[in-house]
Amino acid sequence: MNALEISNLKKTYKTGFLRKETVAAVNDLSFNVRKGEIYGFLGPNGSGKTTTLMSVMGFITPTSGKILVLGDSPGSSKSRERIGFLPDNPVLYPYLSGYNALYVVGRMFLLSHSEINKRIGALADELGMDRELRLPVAKHSRGMRQRIGFAQALINDPELLIMDEPMNGLDPMGRKMFRDVIMKRREKGKTVFFSSHILSDIEMICDRICVIRDGGIIYENTMKGISESRPGETLEDIFMSMMGSGK
Amino acid sequence: MIRRAFWVSAATIAELLKDRTIAGVFFVGVAMIFGGYVVAEMAVVERMKMFVDTGVGAVFVAGVFITLMAGSNLLGREIRDKEILCTLSKPLPRPVWVVGKTIGLLVAVAVLIFSLATVLLIYLKFQTNVWKPEIFLACFFIYLEMVILCNYIVLFSCVTTQYLSVFSGILILLAGGMADDLKIYWDSASPLAQGMSRLLYYALPNLGAYSPGPVLSGSVSVPANLLFAMVFSAAMYVIVAVTLSALVIRKKELA
Ligand SMILES: Nc1ncnc2c1ncn2[C@@H]1O[C@H](COP(=O)(O)OP(=O)(O)OP(=O)(O)O)[C@@H](O)[C@H]1O
Ligand SMILES: [Mg+2]
């Protein structure tokens, strides 16, 4: 079973003042994320990762191609009940305290008052949040905002977790915490799909990765497959050699 | 869905009332009400009328500023700052979000305008020992006018930039106040002027009808059916504008 199916996804943007020129941000992209796996989505800056995630979430309409999220079309309320999403640079109700912001999110899932409090408490322990909950989100540091971002993505205990650059702004402890959070979700049978540049973390937690470049897949393999076919090489070596070739 | 809309409104109200700029305008409004003292001292006759006029004027000016700022930012800020990527990744359909935000804005503006009205009422009682509850009716008229203005701005801000929507809001406010004058041209000799004036008359909100002046002078009592018509037409504006905004947002690319 696949948690996410993307086939022949294409997205072109019109640019320029008169919207005459077009750029293809994603071009004929196809891959699947299986249920229960941690899937890493790699690629250099501007390769189309965010564009792909925005299409998966239904925030933008693809020019062509097909996407199925948990068997549903992107952006359907039904699938959103079971998804957690962390955007790049998350901001959430900047004038509310972290606690109140998360509380409102909990209410979007129609959770009860006591259930929301229970979940916020559990997430505060897991993510190491304390001041985050009391300060208004606008006054948070980058890493604090990222933690609130995780919490809002996890509050509905999602089956599928979709994240854009989740390690952004986190210190080494934060990144360790993040890896633990992800591994724990996999033990519970959840699916995780995220984009990142931080290859060492990807290496540690992912089951499978793909690399995109100029909007198309140039490599896909399981981590096991990678270590068998290219023993002794780190993901960084492989990534660099891939980017080096063809330049 | 009603519960979700309710919580979106609640968050919007909390955010607007915590906004420093809006709080600033509110306190400028309060200062202007107190400033009515200076104006009244200078007046030789009708000291009381001066108090009331500056006070209600202050409520109007503060109301316009708050409406322009909060309205143009209501949906736009969330979209610009990508907050919307968190908000709408939840099971919250876009139209419900628009409805919740708009209701939140209308409630927050009501809270601010009627707080200013209360300040004015108490200050007046204190200064002139006159209890003038008509102020509330006058401020209710101002509020209805702001409701109509809010809707225009929220709708504009869905299709243009923030500054352009503020600019269009000011134009609507100015032109809408003069809408009645267009009737002069209805029977003009030139068919072009006739057509244009009729078109504009129906396109613009007749904001002049919401002027608080007559209520305050005490010379006119407001018949219930007129009041009803005013509330009804403001409500129609809300429904039409929210529907159109929701349609625009539904199709909008959010990245
Ligand atoms: N709204 C837009 N209008 C025009 N072009 C866009 C738009 N959004 C993205 N692009 C272009 O699409 C391409 C892919 O961008 P995207 O943000 O998906 O890259 P990314 O892989 O997420 O990069 P990064 O690692 O820097 O986050 C880029 O060339 C970018 O300039
Ligand atoms: Mg990106």
Side-chain angles (χ1 to χ4, degrees):
Chain A
M1 253 308 258
N2 291 324
L4 176 65
E5 294 181 17
I6 297 178
S7 34
N8 310 104
L9 179 69
K10 186 172 177 187
K11 177 70 190 178
T12 52
Y13 285 112
K14 291 193 168 38
T15 57
F17 193 72
L18 296 174
R19 318 260 146 191
K20 282 266 170 66
E21 299 115 73
T22 56
V23 250
V26 175
N27 206 350
D28 203 24
L29 184 74
S30 304
F31 64 91
N32 298 325
V33 177
R34 295 180 200 131
K35 277 217 166 113
E37 75 178 350
I38 302 182
Y39 193 97
F41 193 37
L42 279 65
N45 290 134
S47 55
K49 300 183 296 297
T50 300
T51 306
T52 307
L53 294 184
M54 290 297 141
S55 313
V56 167
M57 288 307 297
F59 291 137
I60 58 179
T61 320
T63 312
S64 63
K66 196 165 185 309
I67 301 175
L68 278 180
V69 193
L70 296 173
D72 230 316
S73 60
S76 75
S77 282
K78 207 167 116 247
S79 67
R80 280 181 175 169
E81 300 267 4
R82 299 148 67 203
I83 293 180
F85 177 63
L86 173 69
D88 191 10
N89 245 317
V91 245
L92 193 69
Y93 306 113
Y95 293 99
L96 299 186
S97 69
Y99 171 82
N100 285 342
L102 290 177
Y103 187 88
V104 174
V105 172
R107 287 292 188 179
M108 292 298 128
F109 292 101
L110 305 181
L111 300 173
S112 68
H113 176 77
S114 57
E115 181 63 26
I116 295 176
N117 279 331
K118 209 174 88 194
R119 294 197 187 187
I120 294 179
L123 286 167
D125 288 342
E126 192 180 6
L127 303 169
M129 294 189 300
D130 174 33
R131 275 202 306 150
E132 283 88 341
L133 294 179
R134 280 179 275 122
L135 271 180
V137 176
K139 302 250 154 70
H140 282 182
S141 74
R142 184 70 184 76
M144 289 162 85
R145 241 185 296 139
Q146 199 72 11
R147 282 176 172 80
I148 292 287
F150 283 130
Q152 62 84 31
L154 292 168
I155 200 160
N156 58 327
D157 192 21
E159 275 168 56
L160 172 62
L161 194 52
I162 300 174
M163 297 180 287
D164 199 359
E165 317 270 357
M167 265 85 89
N168 256 0
L170 293 181
D171 56 20
M173 284 90 73
R175 277 164 51 194
K176 167 84 170 63
M177 174 239 19
F178 166 75
R179 292 194 301 267
D180 293 343
V181 168
I182 299 300
M183 302 293 254
K184 210 165 116 194
R185 294 301 178 286
R186 176 170 58 187
E187 277 163 32
K188 291 202 230 160
K190 316 286 184 196
T191 313
V192 183
F193 170 57
F194 70 99
S195 79
S196 182
H197 297 293
I198 303 186
L199 299 170
S200 56
D201 287 326
I202 288 189
E203 209 160 20
M204 275 187 258
I205 58 176
C206 283
D207 298 308
R208 218 147 58 91
I209 60 153
C210 80
V211 181
I212 71 164
R213 180 170 176 181
D214 301 331
I217 293 218
I218 56 170
Y219 185 76
E220 187 181 27
N221 207 344
T222 57
M223 288 313 292
K224 209 159 144 249
I226 293 174
S227 57
E228 276 164 13
S229 63
R230 305 177 77 150
E233 281 183 87
T234 64
L235 197 52
E236 189 173 328
D237 299 333
I238 299 169
F239 190 77
M240 288 304 174
S241 72
M242 252 185 270
M243 292 305 135
S245 65
K247 262 212 172 152
Chain B
M1 281 308 131
I2 290 177
R3 271 196 284 170
R4 294 191 174 106
F6 170 82
W7 284 103
V8 172
S9 303
T12 308
I13 295 166
E15 289 219 282
L16 287 173
L17 298 183
K18 283 183 183 178
D19 189 309
R20 273 165 197 273
T21 328
I22 289 175
V25 174
F26 179 82
F27 286 114
V28 169
V30 173
M32 279 164 71
I33 289 175
F34 290 156
Y37 180 75
V38 182
V39 183
E41 280 303 291
M42 290 191 298
V44 190
V45 285
E46 296 193 305
R47 187 162 170 264
M48 159 86 175
K49 185 175 179 309
M50 285 298 163
F51 260 121
V52 175
D53 282 355
T54 32
V56 172
V59 175
F60 179 77
V61 170
V64 168
F65 266 97
I66 291 171
T67 304
L68 288 175
M69 281 186 322
S72 64
N73 242 340
L74 184 75
L75 307 178
R77 191 201 70 202
E78 271 205 43
I79 296 174
R80 227 178 16 253
D81 299 353
K82 307 268 152 112
E83 266 176 80
I84 197 167
L85 301 185
C86 283
T87 334
L88 291 187
S89 66
K90 311 299 168 235
L92 173 71
R94 294 186 193 187
V96 179
W97 176 72
V98 173
V99 171
K101 291 287 273 186
T102 310
I103 292 175
L105 172 66
L106 296 181
V107 173
V109 171
V111 169
L112 293 167
I113 285 186
F114 287 105
S115 308
L116 284 176
T118 312
V119 171
L120 177 58
L121 190 75
I122 294 169
Y123 184 61
L124 201 66
K125 168 79 184 157
F126 185 72
Q127 282 287 344
T128 63
N129 206 19
V130 179
W131 202 234
K132 205 168 162 60
E134 291 92 352
I135 286 173
F136 272 109
L137 190 58
C139 289
F140 182 61
F141 281 19
I142 293 179
Y143 176 61
L144 290 179
E145 192 173 348
M146 292 310 118
V147 169
I148 294 173
L149 188 61
C150 270
N151 284 296
Y152 271 93
I153 296 174
V154 170
L155 183 57
F156 286 145
S157 73
C158 293
V159 284
T160 63
T161 62
Q162 189 191 354
Y163 291 118
L164 272 179
S165 55
V166 169
F167 182 63
S168 338
I170 294 173
L171 285 185
I172 288 280
L173 190 66
L174 294 177
M178 298 185 293
D180 254 345
D181 300 344
L182 286 167
K183 277 190 175 159
I184 301 167
Y185 302 97
W186 274 23
D187 304 314
S188 120
S190 133
L192 181 71
Q194 229 182 62
M196 282 298 287
S197 61
R198 273 165 201 259
L199 184 75
L200 273 175
Y201 181 78
Y202 288 113
L204 285 170
N206 187 357
L207 295 178
Y210 292 85
S211 156
V215 190
L216 288 172
S217 64
S219 54
V220 207
S221 67
V222 187
N225 59 355
L226 176 65
L227 202 60
F228 176 77
M230 288 167 76
V231 174
F232 181 77
S233 58
M236 286 325 266
Y237 270 103
V238 178
I239 292 171
V240 172
V242 166
T243 311
L244 291 177
S245 311
L247 286 176
V248 174
I249 295 285
R250 229 162 78 94
K251 293 273 169 255
K252 201 168 178 88
E253 298 267 290
L254 298 179

